[in-house]
Amino acid sequence: MAMHRVKIFSLFERFWHWAQMILILVLLMTGFGVHGFHDLMSFGTAVTLHTSAAVTLLLLWAFSVFWLFTTRSWRHFIPTWQGMWGVMRYYAYGIFKGERHPYRKAYWRKHNPLQALAYLMLKIVLFPAIWITGLLYLFYFAWHNLPGAPLWLNGIAQVHTAAAFMILAFVLIHVYLLTTGHSFREHVMPMVTGFDEVDLSPEEEAYLRKDQPGDIR
Amino acid sequence: MQQIAMIFSLPLLTMTLPAILAINLIVGFGVFDAQARDTWPTPPINPDRSAQISGPLQGGTADHGKFPELKGPFATGSDVTKACLGCHTETGQHFMKNIHWTWSYVNPDTGQQLGKRYLINNFCTNSRGNEGMCAQCHAGYGWKDEQFDFTDETKIDCLVCHETTGNYYKTPNSAGNAACSVMFEGKPPLDLAAAARSVDLPQRANCGTCHFYGGGGDNVKHGDLSSALKEPPRTLDVHMGVDGLNFACTACHVTDQHVWAGSRYQVISKDKQGTGQPGLRPDVATCESCHGLAPHPVNSLTNFKLNDHVQSVACQTCHIPKIARGGVATIVDWDWRTAGKTRDGEGYHEEGYIQGNGVHRYTYKSIKGDFTYDENMVPEYAWFDGQMLYTTIDTEFDPNAEFIEINGFSGSRDDPDSRIWPFKRMHTWQPYDKGRGTLVYASLWGEDETAFWGNYDMGAAIAKGMADFGLDYSGEFGFIETLSWWPITHMVAPKENALDCRDCHQPKNSRLASVEGIYLPGRDHNDLLNILGTLLVGGTLAGIIIHALIRIFSPKGAHH
């Protein structure tokens, strides 16, 4: 096992990540405007941007699901308890002592267990909650004559809002954690260049050198 | 595998995503309409600004000024009518079917007797028994009591609607008390022949003769019909504006054999027909009759969403942002309790309100009591199914009620015929029969000792008003608070002055704050959820800050 600079984030992943970041920021900003939390833009602008960003993000997600399954990258998001305790202990305690982050990125597994669990929850709980309620909300005109429609809309809007609060909290933690372990810059750069320090097994290294020489430096 | 996915997805993505973003943004540019709106003039469709557009009837084939029959001289209005009927042989029979003649309307669903002839309102209360005064606005000649012959077509007043000299007027059909009749002294004599030769399709001023001055003054009743509409700028009314479309009233209130589209008694609050088949004239005076059921051009998300609103929000709600615009105020409160005060035995009046166009308005009259005016006022909003519910002279009510709705209305979110509609709310303290819990007819206008306008004895006026129509009266009257509701539909502002989304979609001071049965984004939220959400986000931030501080100040802070 030896540390190498390896391309772990493909161009698509980086595009996905940053496009998603912009869209989610726009959605949070405009969504809380529609909700009445701020008056930074007109209601009409907020609704239009929110809807446009949401439709764009849904398409991006559709592509990403396709990509995740065809490239088998979905494996990175499989949860595991292995090493979880170490990571949690590190953030709660070890980090204050100046300890090293216990997790080593592997080529086949680029997220630590806490990250994998957090992203998985985001993908299978929070995101579906927000886009399902959002679509129902967006298409209210198609079902507004069903009995009890306003009451249902009320419930849907509340789930949507609750999910938005949680996503905002996630974003805050996500950005903060970039400052831990290494420097902020070191954390962000892999998502820009695609390359990060990864512990490679000799077999992985041999494979990369032979079949994907551009992905290892 | 990975390569295949990349080959497929990347070019697709690089092409599709920007395209989608671009489409969304272009579509979304509708939101910037708000800034560009001021550059949207509605061009005059009628280059001759002197001619008002009168619906489907355009370009008459006869110049009435050349008709020998109309040369005159005429001794009475009825003589003019006879001349009119000489050519328009069927018009008399047609006209006598409409409520401008009958002042009577029976609700076909409930059988309830309605119409100005019978109803009580909370302005001058009742026309019944006071026809001598009130019937100045009847489209006929000489109605002063029950003896009037409603089958005599020579009594029809053609001129009030069709003459265009602008000098035509009618005085009360009976003299009234000396204190009141002075109002009509010194009026110039009418030139009936000149009026007869001037006839044309009705102009705004013709309809306005009565409809602008109902309730005893300019804009007193409706709030959205005032003398400001005689020659309005486009900014006051986008349809009637002389620098815009220059519509006459009949452009929307189209007639079929002298019966008009648009009803006060059974309003269509949600038109589901729209413009109808090509060539078919709309028979209702709704916005949709001309603008269709999807009135906003679908070229932006905003407009798509606005068309969606048409289901539950009347066009009037957004497009008539204020009532009583154009400088003429409307009465919002009338207190009959203070009526009857005299100075040295004489009635008097006080001016105390200067309206937008500089005209002084009476705030007290001995014959009527105290008035409160308002203009450029925000309407009240409520679900409305078009059905007004009248408290008539026959309705018994609980005198302990907070107020009596003279014309309440029904409607709700669950009713597919209802929409959110703007209203003028009129509040009045007015006399009622304390013993029986009913409204009363009062004799206001007359020459005898009981007429309130001259003698100032409300008890005697009510006793006479009730006895004349064989109605029971307990002999004891009091004053009760009444409300009337006036659906607002005129003075449509140009689109650039329509309400902004935020006027309703905001947590505080939403125009629709009191409207129930809907979830309104921006207005509605769950306080608990907002608190929990704020705590979650705030707590996360606090946790981050504490975590960061401990990292920075911990003794072995090797800032990893």
Side-chain angles (χ1 to χ4, degrees), chain B residues 34-55:
Chain B
Q35 288 94 49
R37 279 172 169 188
D38 285 335
T39 60
W40 282 351
T42 307
I45 58 168
N46 180 16
D48 174 9
R49 290 192 177 176
S50 62
Q52 295 176 18
I53 306 281
S54 287

Side-chain angles (χ1 to χ4, degrees), chain B residues 336 339 367 431 442 444 452 455-463 473 477 479:
Chain B
W336 277 95
I367 61 168
L444 302 173
F452 186 76
N455 296 298
Y456 306 115
D457 180 346
M458 187 58 83
I462 295 170
Y473 173 49
F477 75 94
F479 290 92

Side-chain angles (χ1 to χ4, degrees), chain B residues 301-315:
Chain B
L301 270 177
T302 314
N303 280 0
F304 181 80
K305 203 64 210 163
L306 285 178
N307 281 341
D308 195 17
H309 281 62
V310 174
Q311 277 292 327
S312 47
V313 182
C315 309

Side-chain angles (χ1 to χ4, degrees), chain B residues 503-532:
Chain B
D503 288 319
C504 299
H505 294 277
Q506 62 167 321
K508 288 174 186 164
N509 306 320
S510 164
R511 290 241 183 172
L512 302 186
S514 65
V515 174
E516 292 174 353
I518 41 168
Y519 179 84
L520 197 60
R523 179 195 75 167
D524 294 329
H525 52 256
N526 182 318
D527 283 333
L528 181 64
L529 177 62
N530 276 359
I531 291 167
L532 287 176

